[in-house]
Amino acid sequence: MPYKEPKIEKLYYSIGEVASIFDVNTSLIRFWEKEFDIIKPHKNKKGNRLFTQKDIDNFHLIFHLVKERGMTLKGAQKKLKENKEGTENNFEVVKRLKDIRALLVDIKDNI
């Protein structure tokens, strides 16, 4: 049985790493942190922001609402306050459908 390397997940991500995940500037990350109360990064003694996986998941949700669906910041804030759980479920369904579509396209290309 071959040895499999376990996938190592980080506990904290720097603001630069988060910005590179979403391909945006760090200033946008700081701005969204101020605008949305669901993002609460830890800060070390130097004041550097350290984001958890939950913060990154919340960024995915905000990114989906603002950048992909074209909502305004106020609209995204309102939607998250009124129905965060429903919004998260909707986002998960969209993400799974995109993954399935990518898999089917890959299978089609390999035929």
Side-chain angles (χ1 to χ4, degrees):
M1 189 164 164
Y3 175 72
K4 261 184 134 174
E5 279 291 321
K7 184 178 178 186
I8 299 173
E9 290 192 23
K10 297 173 73 171
L11 292 178
Y12 295 105
Y13 296 86
S14 70
I15 192 167
E17 291 171 322
V18 175
S20 67
I21 289 171
F22 295 100
D23 196 26
V24 296
N25 293 329
T26 56
S27 59
L28 182 67
I29 302 297
R30 285 190 293 273
F31 178 71
W32 281 358
E33 174 195 343
K34 291 176 189 168
E35 292 293 317
F36 294 92
D37 57 350
I38 61 173
I39 298 170
K40 302 207 184 304
H42 299 280
K43 292 188 180 179
N44 63 9
K45 291 179 183 178
K46 292 170 52 176
N48 297 340
R49 291 166 176 85
L50 299 172
F51 296 93
T52 61
Q53 185 61 46
K54 182 172 171 54
D55 292 325
I56 292 176
D57 293 340
N58 288 332
F59 271 119
H60 272 289
L61 189 59
I62 294 168
F63 188 84
H64 171 71
L65 292 174
V66 175
K67 297 289 186 177
E68 293 174 356
R69 291 193 50 199
M71 295 180 79
T72 62
L73 291 179
K74 295 290 183 194
Q77 289 170 345
K78 184 178 179 184
K79 187 153 181 79
L80 288 173
K81 281 185 182 177
E82 289 176 356
N83 190 8
K84 184 176 187 247
E85 187 175 319
T87 305
E88 287 176 340
N89 291 339
N90 187 19
F91 173 67
E92 288 298 321
V93 168
V94 169
K95 193 166 99 174
R96 286 186 195 147
L97 288 173
K98 284 182 181 178
D99 291 343
I100 291 170
R101 184 179 192 283
L103 177 67
L104 291 174
V105 168
D106 187 42
I107 291 172
K108 178 185 164 210
D109 291 343
N110 288 332
I111 291 180

